[in-house]
Amino acid sequence: MSLLEIRDLKVRVGDKQILGGIDLKVEAGQIHAIMGPNGSGKSTLAHILAGREGFVPTGGSVSFDGKDLLAMAPEIRAREGVFLAFQYPVEIPGVSNKYFLKAAYNAIRKHKGLEELGAGAFLKLIKERAKLVELDPTLLDRPVNEGFSGGEKKRNEILQLAVLEPKLAILDETDSGLDIDALKVVASGINAMRHPSRSFVVVTHYQRLLDYLVPDVVHVLVNGRIVKSGDKKLALELEEKGYGWIEAQDRERVAQP
Amino acid sequence: MPEQQDALKKLTSGDYKYGFASDIEADQAPRGLSEDVIRLISNKKGEPAWLLEWRLKAYQHWLKLREPQWQNLHFPKIDYQDIIYYSAPKPKKLLKSMDEVDPEIRATFEKLGIPLEEQKMLAGVAVDAVFDSVSVATTYKRTLSELGIVFCSFSEAVQNHPELVRRYLGSVVPYTDNFFAALNSAVFSDGSFCYIPKGVRCPMELSTYFRINAAETGQFERTLIVAEDGAYVSYLEGCTAPIRDKNQLHAAVVELIALDNSQIKYSTIQNWYPGDKQGRGGIYNFVTKRGKCKGSNSKISWTQVETGSAITWKYPSCLLLGDNSVGEFYSVALTNNYQQADTGTKMIHVGKNTRSTVVSKGISAGHGQNTYRGLIKIAKGASGARNFSQCDSLLMGDLCGAHTFPSLEVNEPTGQVEHEATTSKIGEDQLFYCRQRGLSPEDAVGLIVNGFCKEVFKELPIEFAVEAHKLLNISLEGAVG
């Protein structure tokens, strides 16, 4: 059984059909990259998996760990092990990063029937994980994402990933807005979190993140459909030739009777 | 704080938690207000002639006043002749210990979780519990009296310290101050009195729990706190009230006097019955609270968490007379369902180098309406006076409202006044972010709102901060769709 199995998923946002039938299978331990031009539906795919309001499935199914993902509330998906690293992490004034993470961590543990972790043990855990993403430990005491630089926000997302230890991590353009050094740090944090039972879906516009994070499968999303899948060489080919040729192929395919 | 969250779960499962009424024979005045009723109240309390005279003058003045119309509050006309102005548990012979207190009253205190018990002494809390209008028990008097601190009911203070009461009563809020202060001065039934002598730092948080009990009884509390030179006191006031169908009027007056180098910290959690989800019932809370920084280098801090009442009309203020004196106002006001709050502060700078800080956080949910109203006045001659004000509003949903009416009057060229204001909505983005990390929508809202209020909560004594946190979550129940 695949960890994530998407079948013919169609999604509407407002009155616009964004995804027109996605099929995708992600096995445990794999990294899948979702690439594609702007507006192709990459972020929509990330958000529908996380359960964002306003993204309405109009057909198809998503099974996660054998369960119907689309039937779950967003917080249940999170507790079951779906994590979304946001493209634009949200600020929560007055709530310390540490407190927020602890609330999230214990909500997940409770869901699993585990005892909540005490303050001391939790502090030890996040300090250790903060090192992994080279996050300045003083940021743990600051309000969630408030006043963080772009790079700090992205690293903070990866810290949350490292603490919450999901089964499926969806990274939505985590590389956007990062300089090369920050990109390396983020990638090494993600690599450190690789595990035979953990899968990654990496949504990205550019392939440069994939220099550091080697995908098992690369998918190209155009106009709400996966039009091509391949190994990491496909990402390099896209880098070289852009998306135009694939879009042209797709138009031809659609035009054929 | 998992244990806190658990407690929350238990608390959030029901409606207004403190909605029960105890059945105690009340000794009450006839309905309506007249000189006779005032004489009756004064007589019941065995008051000296000067106090009765003062009450009657206040009454005569009140007759000439009209209810204020300027506030942004809408409520049916109050019939002041349809209110019972005095109600007390039947007087029994003087009690020697808690064991002699009416078991039903004690049971009520237990239900409320009022810490009259021995353990609380270890926790360092002295409690003067006002049940309806008469104090039934006062603890820790001995510890306090060894330090020369007087902490007792207002009635006792009138009997035992008449010279202090006479000197300070009405010296900060005269009976001519406003309609509700005049009414209170005429009919106040009881309240608390606190006197900290020269150079004494009160070693514990002093707290008073008020509770409205008899149906349709107006509650008119009077509190007077005096800090002599170099004294310090932190005073906590917390309120709960039982469910009633008819609106209940509450018009309290609180006066604080801080002399040279002294400090008074006054914290309130106000959780009177807010009315039901359709806006029926609930307390009308018209309160006049004012502190006078009479001495130089004195400081008065007001911290309030207002989650209850159908109507809140309240402006804890500071009169900064002494040079270098400091006034502070930290407020969280939450209105849910059909609650309305018009609250804020007045900082009147008269002395040189006086400073004031105002931090107001208004939260509106449901059909709640929340108004901040503030006056910062820097009088001529108050050289070097400074104020900083920050007013933030948080809206939940599309049916509620937030309003801000700041007034600044600067009559001194060296005065500095800063005002910052923000209005925000709990965003879908924030909610989704929290939920994506595993938090339920209720927990997410609680987290966001408590974060919003953090600057105020950190001013509260720790036990109160925990209670405030809980209260906010309870009060927001059902605010997320």
Coordinates of all heavy atoms in Angstrom, one line a residue, chain B residues 67-131:
Chain B
E67 N -29.1 60.6 33.3 CA -28.3 59.5 32.9 C -27.4 60.0 31.8 O -27.9 60.7 30.9 CB -29.1 58.4 32.4 CG -28.9 57.0 33.0 CD -29.8 56.0 32.4 OE1 -30.0 56.0 31.2 OE2 -30.5 55.2 33.2
P68 N -26.1 59.7 31.8 CA -25.3 60.1 30.6 C -25.8 59.5 29.3 O -26.3 58.4 29.3 CB -23.9 59.6 31.0 CG -24.1 58.6 32.0 CD -25.3 58.9 32.7
Q69 N -25.6 60.2 28.2 CA -26.1 59.8 26.9 C -24.9 59.6 25.9 O -25.2 59.2 24.8 CB -27.0 60.9 26.3 CG -28.3 61.1 27.2 CD -29.2 59.9 27.4 OE1 -29.4 59.2 26.4 NE2 -29.7 59.7 28.6
W70 N -23.7 60.0 26.3 CA -22.6 60.0 25.3 C -22.1 58.7 25.0 O -21.4 58.5 24.0 CB -21.5 60.9 25.8 CG -21.2 60.7 27.3 CD1 -21.6 61.5 28.3 CD2 -20.4 59.7 27.9 NE1 -21.1 61.0 29.5 CE2 -20.4 59.9 29.3 CE3 -19.6 58.6 27.3 CZ2 -19.6 59.1 30.1 CZ3 -18.9 57.8 28.2 CH2 -18.9 58.0 29.6
Q71 N -22.3 57.7 25.8 CA -21.6 56.4 25.6 C -22.3 55.6 24.4 O -23.4 55.9 24.0 CB -21.7 55.5 26.8 CG -23.1 55.1 27.2 CD -23.7 56.1 28.2 OE1 -23.1 57.1 28.5 NE2 -24.8 55.8 28.8
N72 N -21.4 54.8 23.8 CA -21.8 54.0 22.6 C -22.5 52.7 23.1 O -21.9 51.6 22.8 CB -20.6 53.8 21.7 CG -20.9 53.1 20.4 OD1 -22.0 53.2 19.9 ND2 -20.0 52.4 19.9
L73 N -23.6 52.8 23.8 CA -24.2 51.6 24.4 C -25.7 51.8 24.2 O -26.3 52.9 24.2 CB -24.0 51.5 25.9 CG -22.5 51.4 26.4 CD1 -22.4 51.6 27.9 CD2 -21.9 50.1 26.0
H74 N -26.4 50.7 23.9 CA -27.8 50.7 23.7 C -28.5 49.7 24.6 O -28.2 48.6 24.6 CB -28.1 50.4 22.2 CG -27.4 51.3 21.3 ND1 -27.8 52.6 21.0 CD2 -26.2 51.2 20.7 CE1 -26.9 53.2 20.2 NE2 -25.9 52.4 20.0
F75 N -29.4 50.2 25.5 CA -30.1 49.4 26.4 C -31.4 50.0 26.8 O -31.5 51.2 26.7 CB -29.2 49.1 27.6 CG -28.7 50.4 28.3 CD1 -29.4 51.0 29.3 CD2 -27.5 50.9 27.9 CE1 -29.0 52.1 29.9 CE2 -27.0 52.1 28.5 CZ -27.8 52.7 29.5
P76 N -32.4 49.2 27.2 CA -33.6 49.8 27.5 C -33.5 50.7 28.7 O -32.6 50.5 29.5 CB -34.5 48.6 27.8 CG -33.6 47.4 27.9 CD -32.3 47.7 27.2
K77 N -34.4 51.6 28.9 CA -34.3 52.6 30.0 C -34.4 51.8 31.3 O -35.2 50.9 31.5 CB -35.5 53.5 29.8 CG -35.3 54.8 30.5 CD -36.3 55.9 30.1 CE -36.3 57.1 31.0 NZ -34.9 57.5 31.3
I78 N -33.6 52.3 32.2 CA -33.6 51.7 33.6 C -34.6 52.4 34.4 O -34.6 53.6 34.5 CB -32.2 51.8 34.2 CG1 -31.1 51.1 33.3 CG2 -32.2 51.3 35.6 CD1 -29.7 51.4 33.7
D79 N -35.4 51.6 35.1 CA -36.4 52.2 36.0 C -35.8 52.2 37.4 O -35.8 51.1 38.0 CB -37.7 51.5 35.9 CG -38.8 52.1 36.9 OD1 -38.4 53.0 37.6 OD2 -39.9 51.7 36.9
Y80 N -35.3 53.3 37.8 CA -34.6 53.3 39.1 C -35.5 53.1 40.3 O -35.0 52.9 41.4 CB -33.7 54.6 39.3 CG -32.6 54.6 38.3 CD1 -32.7 55.2 37.0 CD2 -31.4 54.0 38.6 CE1 -31.7 55.2 36.1 CE2 -30.3 54.0 37.7 CZ -30.5 54.5 36.4 OH -29.5 54.5 35.5
Q81 N -36.8 53.3 40.1 CA -37.7 53.0 41.2 C -38.2 51.6 41.2 O -38.9 51.2 42.1 CB -39.0 54.0 41.0 CG -38.6 55.4 41.3 CD -38.0 55.7 42.6 OE1 -38.1 55.0 43.6 NE2 -37.2 56.8 42.6
D82 N -37.7 50.8 40.3 CA -38.0 49.4 40.2 C -36.9 48.5 40.7 O -36.8 47.3 40.4 CB -38.4 49.0 38.8 CG -39.2 47.7 38.8 OD1 -39.9 47.3 39.8 OD2 -39.0 46.9 37.8
I83 N -36.0 49.1 41.5 CA -34.8 48.4 42.0 C -34.9 48.3 43.5 O -35.3 49.2 44.2 CB -33.6 49.1 41.5 CG1 -33.4 49.0 40.0 CG2 -32.3 48.6 42.2 CD1 -32.4 49.8 39.4
I84 N -34.4 47.2 44.0 CA -34.3 47.1 45.5 C -32.8 47.5 45.8 O -31.9 46.9 45.3 CB -34.6 45.6 45.9 CG1 -36.0 45.3 45.7 CG2 -34.3 45.5 47.4 CD1 -36.4 43.8 45.7
Y85 N -32.7 48.5 46.7 CA -31.4 49.0 46.9 C -30.6 48.4 48.1 O -29.5 48.7 48.3 CB -31.5 50.6 47.0 CG -31.7 51.2 45.7 CD1 -33.0 51.4 45.2 CD2 -30.7 51.6 44.9 CE1 -33.2 51.9 44.0 CE2 -30.9 52.1 43.6 CZ -32.1 52.3 43.2 OH -32.3 52.8 41.9
Y86 N -31.3 47.6 48.8 CA -30.6 47.0 49.9 C -31.1 45.6 50.2 O -32.3 45.4 50.3 CB -30.6 47.8 51.2 CG -29.9 47.2 52.3 CD1 -28.5 47.4 52.4 CD2 -30.5 46.5 53.3 CE1 -27.7 46.8 53.4 CE2 -29.8 45.9 54.3 CZ -28.4 46.0 54.4 OH -27.7 45.5 55.4
S87 N -30.2 44.7 50.3 CA -30.5 43.3 50.6 C -29.4 42.7 51.4 O -28.2 42.8 51.0 CB -30.8 42.6 49.3 OG -30.4 41.2 49.4
A88 N -29.7 42.1 52.5 CA -28.6 41.4 53.3 C -29.1 40.1 53.9 O -30.2 40.0 54.2 CB -28.2 42.4 54.4
P89 N -28.2 39.2 54.0 CA -28.5 38.0 54.7 C -29.0 38.4 56.1 O -28.4 39.4 56.7 CB -27.2 37.2 54.8 CG -26.4 37.7 53.7 CD -26.8 39.1 53.5
K90 N -29.9 37.7 56.7 CA -30.5 38.1 58.0 C -29.3 38.2 59.0 O -28.5 37.2 59.1 CB -31.5 37.0 58.5 CG -32.7 37.0 57.7 CD -33.9 37.5 58.5 CE -35.1 37.6 57.6 NZ -36.3 38.1 58.1
P91 N -29.3 39.2 59.8 CA -28.2 39.4 60.7 C -28.3 38.4 61.8 O -29.3 38.1 62.4 CB -28.3 40.8 61.2 CG -29.8 41.2 61.0 CD -30.2 40.4 59.8
K92 N -27.2 37.7 62.1 CA -27.1 36.8 63.3 C -26.2 37.4 64.3 O -25.6 38.4 64.0 CB -26.6 35.4 62.8 CG -27.4 34.9 61.6 CD -27.7 33.4 61.8 CE -28.7 32.9 60.8 NZ -28.2 32.5 59.6
K93 N -26.0 36.7 65.4 CA -25.1 37.3 66.3 C -23.6 37.2 65.7 O -23.4 36.4 64.8 CB -25.1 36.5 67.7 CG -24.8 35.0 67.6 CD -24.9 34.4 69.0 CE -24.7 33.0 69.1 NZ -24.3 32.1 68.2
L94 N -22.8 38.0 66.3 CA -21.4 38.1 65.7 C -20.7 36.7 65.7 O -20.9 35.9 66.6 CB -20.5 39.0 66.6 CG -20.8 40.5 66.3 CD1 -19.9 41.3 67.2 CD2 -20.4 40.8 64.8
L95 N -20.0 36.4 64.6 CA -19.4 35.1 64.4 C -18.0 35.1 64.9 O -17.2 36.0 64.6 CB -19.5 34.7 62.9 CG -20.9 34.8 62.3 CD1 -20.8 34.5 60.8 CD2 -21.8 33.8 63.0
K96 N -17.6 34.0 65.5 CA -16.3 33.9 66.0 C -15.3 33.3 65.0 O -14.1 33.6 64.9 CB -16.2 33.1 67.3 CG -16.8 33.8 68.5 CD -16.5 33.1 69.8 CE -17.3 33.7 70.9 NZ -18.8 33.5 70.9
S97 N -15.9 32.3 64.2 CA -15.0 31.7 63.2 C -15.8 31.3 62.0 O -17.0 31.4 62.0 CB -14.3 30.5 63.8 OG -15.3 29.4 63.8
M98 N -15.1 30.8 61.0 CA -15.8 30.4 59.7 C -16.8 29.3 60.0 O -17.8 29.1 59.3 CB -14.7 29.8 58.8 CG -14.1 30.9 57.9 SD -15.3 31.8 56.9 CE -15.8 30.5 55.7
D99 N -16.6 28.5 61.1 CA -17.5 27.4 61.4 C -18.9 27.9 61.6 O -19.9 27.2 61.5 CB -17.0 26.6 62.6 CG -15.6 26.0 62.4 OD1 -15.3 25.9 61.2 OD2 -14.9 25.7 63.4
E100 N -19.0 29.1 62.0 CA -20.3 29.7 62.4 C -21.0 30.3 61.2 O -22.1 30.7 61.3 CB -20.1 30.7 63.5 CG -19.6 30.1 64.8 CD -19.4 31.2 65.9 OE1 -20.2 32.1 65.9 OE2 -18.5 31.0 66.7
V101 N -20.3 30.4 60.1 CA -20.9 31.0 58.9 C -22.0 30.0 58.4 O -21.8 28.8 58.4 CB -19.8 31.3 57.8 CG1 -20.5 31.8 56.5 CG2 -18.8 32.3 58.4
D102 N -23.1 30.6 57.9 CA -24.2 29.8 57.3 C -23.6 28.8 56.3 O -22.9 29.2 55.4 CB -25.1 30.8 56.6 CG -26.3 30.2 56.0 OD1 -26.2 29.0 55.6 OD2 -27.4 30.8 56.0
P103 N -23.9 27.5 56.5 CA -23.3 26.5 55.7 C -23.7 26.7 54.2 O -22.9 26.4 53.3 CB -24.0 25.2 56.2 CG -24.5 25.5 57.5 CD -24.8 27.0 57.6
E104 N -24.8 27.3 53.9 CA -25.2 27.5 52.6 C -24.3 28.6 51.9 O -23.9 28.5 50.7 CB -26.7 27.9 52.4 CG -27.1 27.9 51.0 CD -28.6 27.8 50.8 OE1 -29.3 27.6 51.8 OE2 -29.0 27.9 49.6
I105 N -24.0 29.6 52.7 CA -23.1 30.6 52.2 C -21.8 30.0 51.9 O -21.1 30.3 50.9 CB -23.0 31.8 53.1 CG1 -24.4 32.6 53.2 CG2 -21.9 32.7 52.8 CD1 -24.4 33.7 54.1
R106 N -21.3 29.2 52.9 CA -20.0 28.6 52.7 C -20.0 27.7 51.5 O -19.0 27.6 50.7 CB -19.6 27.8 53.9 CG -19.4 28.7 55.1 CD -19.0 28.0 56.3 NE -17.7 27.3 56.1 CZ -17.2 26.4 57.0 NH1 -17.9 26.1 58.1 NH2 -16.1 25.8 56.7
A107 N -21.1 26.9 51.3 CA -21.2 26.1 50.1 C -21.1 26.9 48.8 O -20.5 26.5 47.8 CB -22.5 25.3 50.1
T108 N -21.8 28.0 48.8 CA -21.7 28.9 47.6 C -20.3 29.3 47.4 O -19.8 29.3 46.2 CB -22.6 30.2 47.9 OG1 -23.9 29.7 48.2 CG2 -22.6 31.0 46.6
F109 N -19.6 29.7 48.4 CA -18.2 30.0 48.3 C -17.3 28.9 47.7 O -16.5 29.1 46.9 CB -17.6 30.5 49.6 CG -18.0 31.8 50.0 CD1 -18.2 32.1 51.4 CD2 -18.2 32.9 49.1 CE1 -18.6 33.4 51.8 CE2 -18.5 34.1 49.5 CZ -18.8 34.4 50.8
E110 N -17.7 27.7 48.2 CA -17.0 26.5 47.7 C -17.2 26.4 46.2 O -16.2 26.1 45.5 CB -17.5 25.2 48.4 CG -17.2 25.2 49.9 CD -15.7 25.0 50.2 OE1 -15.0 24.4 49.4 OE2 -15.3 25.4 51.3
K111 N -18.4 26.5 45.8 CA -18.8 26.3 44.4 C -18.0 27.3 43.6 O -17.6 27.1 42.4 CB -20.3 26.5 44.2 CG -21.0 25.2 44.2 CD -22.5 25.4 43.7 CE -23.4 25.4 44.9 NZ -24.8 25.6 44.4
L112 N -17.9 28.5 44.1 CA -17.2 29.6 43.4 C -15.7 29.4 43.4 O -15.0 30.1 42.7 CB -17.5 30.9 44.0 CG -18.8 31.6 43.6 CD1 -19.1 32.8 44.4 CD2 -18.7 32.0 42.1
G113 N -15.3 28.5 44.3 CA -13.8 28.3 44.4 C -13.2 29.5 45.1 O -12.0 29.8 44.9
I114 N -13.9 30.1 46.0 CA -13.3 31.3 46.7 C -12.4 30.7 47.8 O -12.8 29.9 48.6 CB -14.4 32.1 47.3 CG1 -15.2 32.8 46.2 CG2 -13.8 33.2 48.3 CD1 -16.3 33.7 46.7
P115 N -11.2 31.2 47.8 CA -10.2 30.6 48.6 C -10.2 31.1 50.1 O -9.3 31.8 50.5 CB -8.9 31.0 48.0 CG -9.2 32.2 47.3 CD -10.6 32.2 46.9
L116 N -11.2 30.7 50.8 CA -11.3 31.1 52.2 C -10.5 30.1 53.1 O -10.3 30.3 54.3 CB -12.7 31.2 52.7 CG -13.4 32.5 52.5 CD1 -14.9 32.4 52.9 CD2 -12.7 33.6 53.3
E117 N -10.2 29.0 52.5 CA -9.6 27.9 53.2 C -8.1 28.1 53.7 O -7.4 29.0 53.2 CB -9.7 26.6 52.4 CG -11.1 26.3 51.9 CD -12.1 26.1 53.0 OE1 -12.0 25.2 53.8 OE2 -13.0 27.0 53.0
E118 N -7.8 27.2 54.6 CA -6.4 27.3 55.1 C -5.3 27.3 54.1 O -4.4 28.0 54.1 CB -6.3 26.1 56.1 CG -5.2 26.3 57.1 CD -5.5 27.4 58.1 OE1 -6.6 27.8 58.2 OE2 -4.5 27.8 58.8
Q119 N -5.5 26.4 53.1 CA -4.5 26.3 52.0 C -4.1 27.6 51.4 O -3.0 27.9 51.0 CB -4.9 25.4 50.8 CG -5.5 24.1 51.2 CD -7.0 24.2 51.3 OE1 -7.5 24.8 52.2 NE2 -7.7 23.6 50.3
K120 N -5.2 28.4 51.3 CA -5.0 29.7 50.6 C -4.0 30.6 51.4 O -3.4 31.5 50.8 CB -6.3 30.4 50.4 CG -6.9 29.9 49.1 CD -6.0 30.4 47.9 CE -6.4 29.7 46.6 NZ -5.5 30.0 45.5
M121 N -4.0 30.4 52.7 CA -3.1 31.2 53.5 C -1.6 30.9 53.0 O -0.8 31.8 52.9 CB -3.2 30.8 55.0 CG -2.5 31.8 55.9 SD -3.4 31.8 57.5 CE -2.0 31.7 58.6
L122 N -1.4 29.6 52.7 CA -0.1 29.2 52.2 C 0.1 29.8 50.9 O 1.3 30.2 50.5 CB 0.0 27.7 52.1 CG -0.2 26.9 53.4 CD1 -0.4 25.4 53.2 CD2 1.0 27.2 54.4
A123 N -0.9 30.0 50.1 CA -0.8 30.6 48.8 C -0.6 32.1 48.9 O -0.4 32.8 47.9 CB -2.0 30.2 47.9
G124 N -0.8 32.6 50.1 CA -0.6 34.0 50.3 C -1.7 34.9 49.9 O -1.5 36.0 49.5
V125 N -2.9 34.4 49.9 CA -4.1 35.2 49.5 C -5.0 35.5 50.7 O -5.5 34.5 51.3 CB -4.9 34.5 48.4 CG1 -6.1 35.3 48.0 CG2 -4.0 34.3 47.2
A126 N -5.2 36.7 51.0 CA -6.2 37.1 52.0 C -7.5 37.5 51.3 O -7.5 38.1 50.3 CB -5.7 38.2 52.8
V127 N -8.6 37.0 51.8 CA -9.9 37.2 51.1 C -10.9 37.9 52.0 O -11.1 37.5 53.1 CB -10.4 35.9 50.7 CG1 -11.8 36.0 50.1 CG2 -9.5 35.2 49.6
D128 N -11.4 39.0 51.5 CA -12.5 39.6 52.2 C -13.7 39.3 51.3 O -13.9 40.0 50.3 CB -12.3 41.1 52.3 CG -13.5 41.8 52.8 OD1 -14.2 41.2 53.6 OD2 -13.7 43.0 52.4
A129 N -14.5 38.4 51.6 CA -15.6 38.0 50.7 C -16.9 38.7 51.0 O -17.4 38.8 52.1 CB -15.9 36.5 50.9
V130 N -17.4 39.4 50.0 CA -18.6 40.1 50.2 C -19.7 39.3 49.6 O -19.7 39.0 48.4 CB -18.5 41.5 49.4 CG1 -19.8 42.2 49.5 CG2 -17.4 42.3 50.1
F131 N -20.7 38.9 50.4 CA -21.8 38.1 49.9 C -22.9 39.0 49.8 O -23.4 39.5 50.9 CB -22.0 36.9 50.8 CG -23.0 36.0 50.3 CD1 -22.6 35.1 49.3 CD2 -24.3 36.0 50.7 CE1 -23.5 34.2 48.7 CE2 -25.2 35.1 50.1 CZ -24.8 34.2 49.2

